[in-house]
Amino acid sequence: TGLLQCCDVKDIKLAYQLNRALEKGDNWKFLDVDQLNGYWSKFFSLLCMMEQIEVVLKWYKEMSSSLFYPTPKNILDLLQALDAANQLEVIPSVW
């Protein structure tokens, strides 16, 4: 779907625009559970790759508690982002 393509092409600006559209009203109801999980997983991986670690951690705390269950790839992406930002001491707080 178009939601996943913006993440595949690494377009963070478009991903944020689509996310805002998805959050408006009941738009999220147009996607089934598998599509939503796929979207959130790819969106989070893109955040890990393209955003500052503070932004990644903010999204992780918001998303993992209510929007999606992180996949092993999401956890690996988060660990790589923490490593790249020299923030490995944060690992216990996200585990």
Side-chain angles (χ1 to χ4, degrees):
T1 67
L3 289 174
L4 300 179
Q5 289 175 343
C6 67
C7 296
D8 290 338
V9 298
K10 318 258 184 298
D11 188 337
I12 191 75
K13 185 177 176 181
L14 179 59
Y16 276 125
Q17 289 173 345
L18 288 171
N19 189 60
R20 281 191 297 277
L22 188 64
E23 290 178 337
K24 286 195 187 287
D26 290 335
N27 286 348
W28 61 273
K29 290 182 179 179
F30 290 106
L31 301 176
D32 65 32
V33 172
D34 290 334
Q35 289 172 320
L36 280 171
N37 286 335
Y39 169 73
W40 289 119
S41 179
K42 287 194 173 233
F43 181 70
F44 183 73
S45 289
L46 182 62
L47 290 171
C48 288
M49 188 182 334
M50 306 291 286
E51 282 289 6
Q52 297 294 320
I53 195 64
E54 296 81 17
V55 174
V56 172
L57 291 172
K58 176 185 166 285
W59 276 97
Y60 177 76
K61 288 176 183 171
E62 290 175 11
M63 292 170 63
S64 66
S65 63
S66 62
L67 298 174
F68 86 120
Y69 185 79
T71 66
K73 181 181 180 336
N74 293 135
I75 299 299
L76 180 60
D77 290 339
L78 177 59
L79 291 174
Q80 289 174 336
L82 289 169
D83 187 31
N86 199 26
Q87 297 286 321
L88 293 178
E89 70 277 1
V90 177
I91 290 174
S93 70
V94 297
W95 217 253

